[in-house]
Amino acid sequence: MLKVKNYQFWFCTGSQDLYGDECLAHVAEHSQKIVEELNASGNLPYEVVWKPTLINNERIRRTLNEANMDETCAGVITWMHTFSPAKSWILGLKEYQKPLLHFHTQFNRDIPYDTIDMDFMNENQSAHGDREYGHIFTRLHKERKVIMGYWADEDVQKRIGSWMRTAVGVVESSRLRVMRIADNMRNVAVTEGDKVEAQIQFGWEVDAYPVNEIAEAVKDVSAGDINALLDEYYDKYEILLEGRDEKEFREHLAVQAGIEIGFERFLEEKDYQAIVTHFGDLGALKQLPGLAIQRLMEKGYGFGGEGDWKTAAMVRLMKIMTQGMKDAKGTSFMEDYTYHLAPGKEGILQAHMLEVCPSIADGAISIREKPLSMGDREDPARLVFTAKEGPAVAASLIDLGHRFRLIINDVVCKKTEKPMPNLPVATAFWTPKPDLKTGAEAWILAGGAHHTAFSYDLTAEQLGDWAAAMGIEAVFIDGHTSIRQFINELRWNEAVYRG
Ligand code: MN
């Protein structure tokens, strides 16, 4: 399982010394209590670390630079308890480079009507201080997230938790490495892109290796290791022989076991967290990696078919952002295949040739071996299942030549009306928001791909915040989308993001 670091977030409270030491002692006490309770709430995926109150230019600058340098710090949460003159923040903020949450809250929930006096007003004035602080951010054109609400409310804490996941996606983006063992599919446009620009914009390193180098790593896997993994497959999954010879079935499956082990070793040795393959460029590999890639995705690796490195990187990022989530429903590479246009039941059947991540499976998973309609290799083994129901998000990162655009679509996953016994691949079925016609029209107008990175466990807000932190355009297709407005938005964005 690919793990990301146990990140922390620093909690920095702003104030000044206008009201004396007693007031500052209260500020520190209040912010410490907030940090303690946030950590105890169970609503945050990462730990919050309290930092001494920031009251002047020098301390602000030093603390924010320490946050830049600290490898376990994935971001800073700031809150102006009292008044913090924002000129003091200019140099520190200009030098700060990690995600920042402006948490607009206050220590007391209610106005203490019976006792409130001017001292209380001076001490508890984030409604005032946070506006001063927000102003300088806007003036500096710096990206930040603003969350407003009472710190002890569960919904507020959960929003902070979601933002933390986005922040980790931002910080980890610059460590993401994608291995290409095949080029993009010939003549296909949307899976292409500028890899240098992707490294500049996102930090991704996208490198090519000859497919036969990884095929060598597969060849080196011992029979003992393969047999042990085969036993795990037979134990874990339902085997659907469908008339095939039992021994031949196991031999075919052994090829995928060898690929799984060999690929994982090669990726680990070379330090890559995502991979692309291509059914037409398999070198000495006996089968298209099917079940093997499905299981690697489940372990946290990103994947894109037909050389699609942008989607592979997005799948990995979305796996990072959802890591360790309680009751997670899954994240996968996906492809739009075919429509159901029956009135009231409209939707898109999603699959890929083979490579759908079993983390999205609902119920039993079986192994089938069937010929591929493309390529020239052995019938590959694959995991077959149907996906869970419920709301989810599908995203497509495209290269428009002078910039990237992330297209984010809210979708609702459903069961198909009937099983599809002759379809030997894992599937999902969803209706895009706001409805199939509007959703598909908007997607096509935005230039979205047929490949997507898909997750039940992220929100459009999180993906949009990630895109904003990366400095790229994001467009949302959701319950509020109307085509006329969407076309205008694309036009306006053309002006905003002129490179
Ligand atoms: Mn494809």
Side-chain angles (χ1 to χ4, degrees):
M1 186 67 79
L2 270 179
K3 285 261 174 219
V4 299
K5 203 182 291 183
N6 219 356
Y7 283 107
Q8 294 176 328
F9 288 80
W10 291 9
F11 195 94
C12 298
T13 310
S15 190
Q16 31 60 38
D17 51 12
L18 269 180
Y19 308 120
D21 289 346
E22 198 190 328
C23 175
L24 282 174
H26 289 157
V27 170
E29 196 185 302
H30 291 171
S31 61
Q32 271 167 326
K33 183 167 163 65
I34 291 177
V35 168
E36 271 165 33
E37 297 216 1
L38 285 177
N39 283 328
S41 71
N43 290 322
L44 305 187
Y46 296 95
E47 189 194 351
V48 182
V49 178
W50 182 84
K51 291 285 163 183
T53 311
L54 301 179
I55 54 169
N56 58 38
N57 188 325
E58 192 220 328
R59 200 188 282 180
I60 290 166
R61 196 175 182 183
R62 194 177 60 232
T63 305
L64 292 181
N65 273 298
E66 281 165 9
N68 280 336
M69 296 306 294
D70 188 308
E71 290 218 342
T72 58
C73 173
V76 168
I77 301 171
T78 51
W79 166 50
M80 302 306 114
H81 182 296
T82 48
F83 193 66
S84 183
K87 286 185 190 172
S88 317
W89 286 84
I90 291 174
L91 290 176
L93 288 179
K94 278 178 78 179
E95 288 163 12
Y96 182 65
Q97 285 168 355
K98 287 182 176 173
L100 191 141
L101 170 64
H102 180 182
F103 186 27
H104 185 34
T105 190
Q106 71 183 17
F107 185 68
N108 53 301
R109 195 191 66 176
D110 301 341
I111 296 176
Y113 291 112
D114 298 335
T115 56
I116 188 164
D117 57 12
M118 236 18 237
D119 284 344
F120 184 92
M121 294 272 269
N122 286 334
E123 195 175 293
N124 298 282
Q125 52 174 299
S126 36
H128 176 165
D130 271 333
R131 279 174 165 75
E132 162 75 1
Y133 173 69
H135 166 78
I136 207 64
F137 253 107
T138 300
R139 176 143 180 191
L140 289 171
H141 296 283
K142 290 276 288 185
E143 265 314 316
R144 87 286 206 188
K145 177 76 176 174
V146 180
I147 294 179
M148 195 274 175
Y150 183 51
W151 56 273
D153 285 349
E154 193 183 18
D155 67 315
V156 173
Q157 294 174 347
K158 285 189 169 162
R159 283 194 74 202
I160 297 174
S162 295
W163 170 80
M164 283 178 159
R165 292 188 172 281
T166 305
V168 167
V170 171
V171 169
E172 282 275 322
S173 193
S174 62
R175 299 202 174 87
L176 207 160
R177 304 177 82 221
V178 184
M179 177 180 285
R180 302 168 67 234
I181 55 166
D183 202 347
N184 297 78
M185 190 171 165
R186 277 188 289 279
N187 293 317
V188 175
V190 80
T191 60
E192 273 285 6
D194 183 336
K195 298 187 286 292
V196 178
E197 199 54 34
Q199 188 158 2
I200 292 170
Q201 205 79 49
F202 309 117
W204 303 344
E205 213 179 303
V206 185
D207 301 322
Y209 283 78
V211 62
N212 279 342
E213 266 191 47
I214 203 165
E216 274 299 309
V218 171
K219 219 177 76 191
D220 289 345
V221 179
S222 72
D225 288 348
I226 288 175
N227 267 319
L229 190 56
L230 276 174
D231 289 345
E232 188 187 322
Y233 293 171
Y234 275 81
D235 200 42
K236 194 167 175 187
Y237 307 113
E238 190 185 353
I239 305 294
L240 295 182
L241 288 177
E242 300 173 313
R244 296 186 90 103
D245 176 69
E246 216 166 309
K247 187 161 165 281
E248 184 244 7
F249 190 99
R250 192 174 165 102
E251 279 165 10
H252 269 220
L253 193 52
V255 173
Q256 292 289 332
I259 295 173
E260 180 182 336
I261 299 168
F263 271 37
E264 193 171 6
R265 284 180 187 161
F266 196 74
L267 286 163
E268 216 170 288
E269 181 196 310
K270 310 256 185 253
D271 189 27
Y272 288 85
Q273 305 84 37
I275 186 168
V276 302
T277 60
H278 183 334
F279 64 86
D281 187 4
L282 292 172
L285 294 172
K286 288 189 197 145
Q287 296 175 12
L288 175 65
L291 178 141
I293 286 291
Q294 291 180 289
R295 285 178 47 97
L296 287 174
M297 260 194 279
E298 194 178 22
K299 288 174 183 170
Y301 287 91
F303 174 76
E306 296 89 49
D308 186 351
W309 54 268
K310 296 197 302 301
T311 309
M314 285 308 298
V315 170
R316 169 62 189 149
L317 258 182
M318 288 161 71
K319 297 250 177 205
I320 288 169
M321 288 164 72
T322 55
Q323 181 177 280
M325 255 178 97
K326 225 174 4 170
D327 307 319
K329 291 170 76 178
T331 298
S332 182
F333 169 64
M334 203 52 98
E335 178 169 296
D336 299 291
Y337 261 93
T338 198
Y339 288 121
H340 191 55
L341 297 172
K345 298 170 181 168
E346 296 93 340
I348 319 171
L349 187 65
Q350 305 284 329
H352 200 258
M353 288 169 80
L354 304 174
E355 311 92 334
V356 178
C357 178
S359 65
I360 68 168
D362 188 25
I365 300 177
S366 46
I367 299 181
R368 298 175 75 175
E369 290 177 1
K370 291 279 178 187
L372 276 187
S373 48
M374 289 196 260
D376 55 358
R377 300 301 156 113
E378 276 184 3
D379 302 354
R382 78 287 306 267
L383 300 171
V384 181
F385 52 84
T386 57
K388 300 178 183 84
E389 296 181 81
V393 70
S396 168
L397 180 68
I398 58 167
D399 185 340
L400 289 169
H402 59 297
R403 65 194 165 95
F404 292 101
R405 168 185 287 159
L406 186 65
I407 299 144
I408 305 162
N409 193 182
D410 285 339
V411 302
V412 180
C413 296
K414 303 166 178 176
K415 291 288 170 194
T416 51
E417 278 179 90
K418 292 179 181 179
M420 300 169 283
N422 293 321
L423 190 64
V425 289
T427 57
F429 179 79
W430 71 55
T431 309
K433 288 271 189 179
D435 54 71
L436 176 62
K437 285 176 186 157
T438 314
E441 285 175 15
W443 187 273
I444 283 171
L445 286 165
H450 53 281
H451 284 169
T452 56
F454 161 82
S455 181
Y456 293 98
D457 307 317
L458 287 173
T459 61
E461 181 180 353
Q462 287 173 299
L463 289 176
D465 287 346
W466 176 82
M470 292 292 137
I472 65 159
E473 177 194 5
V475 291
F476 301 89
I477 303 168
D478 59 21
H480 303 291
T481 298
S482 79
I483 292 298
R484 188 192 292 171
Q485 193 64 25
F486 192 74
I487 288 172
N488 274 334
E489 186 182 335
L490 295 177
R491 280 194 191 117
W492 297 331
N493 285 358
E494 246 356 279
V496 172
Y497 290 94
R498 189 170 292 160

